[in-house]
Amino acid sequence: MRSRNDLVDLARQAALNAYAPYSRFRVGAAVLGSDGITYTGANVENAAYPSSSCAEANAIAAAVSAGVRKIDAVAVACIDAPTPEEAYPCGRCRQIMSEFSVDEIHVTAGPGSLVKSHTLDELLPHRFTL
Ligand code: THU
């Protein structure tokens, strides 16, 4: 099992592959699957803005596409944000995390920034399930 810092480092590295020519806001995510393997993603934007996808959604899609159905932890690095307060996952990504029972989320921003850790219950209370 990787440590929180390892997962955050992977998210930071993933952010370097972000395709964000429109927002200039690079995001990377790393997720730890219940298989003990880590998967990464970056945000991928599109000239038709709503066709863009978030880093967390892409990392989770990579894990699920490899057969994972339970994700233990997610790290997200918004390397162009000044502080973690501007780096929290969007609502849609929180709902996607809920689908795969994410336990903990680690959030960080630009170089040298603190890492803030939360449970999914803290970030998405009273969430929708079927
Ligand atoms: N973005 C993410 O990748 N994850 C989030 O949770 C919030 C926002 C991306 C989408 C877009 O490419 C850029 O950040 C600015 O919104």
Side-chain angles (χ1 to χ4, degrees):
M1 170 94 161
R2 283 173 180 273
S3 72
R4 180 180 90 149
N5 284 348
D6 288 340
L7 208 59
V8 168
D9 284 349
L10 286 173
R12 285 190 179 286
Q13 278 174 36
L16 299 176
N17 289 330
Y19 178 71
Y22 304 106
S23 70
R24 304 254 169 228
F25 191 84
R26 295 169 295 171
V27 186
V31 308
L32 176 64
S34 59
D35 57 357
I37 296 175
T38 52
Y39 301 84
T40 60
N43 54 331
V44 179
E45 297 184 347
N46 193 283
Y49 295 170
S51 299
S52 301
S53 50
C54 289
E56 302 93 312
N58 289 342
I60 290 171
V64 174
S65 300
V68 170
R69 294 293 182 266
K70 162 80 179 79
I71 290 172
D72 293 338
V74 174
V76 54
C78 293
I79 61 173
D80 297 313
T83 74
E85 288 309 314
E86 288 84 40
Y88 276 79
C90 74
R92 178 175 181 270
C93 286
R94 295 179 197 203
Q95 182 65 28
I96 293 169
M97 291 178 199
S98 169
E99 186 71 21
F100 300 103
S101 310
V102 169
D103 297 311
E104 42 182 46
I105 299 124
H106 310 299
V107 182
T108 194
S113 142
L114 291 175
V115 179
K116 298 276 203 148
S117 296
H118 295 276
T119 63
L120 186 60
D121 277 340
E122 287 171 342
L123 295 190
L124 191 63
H126 306 293
R127 56 186 181 264
F128 180 77
T129 57
L130 283 178

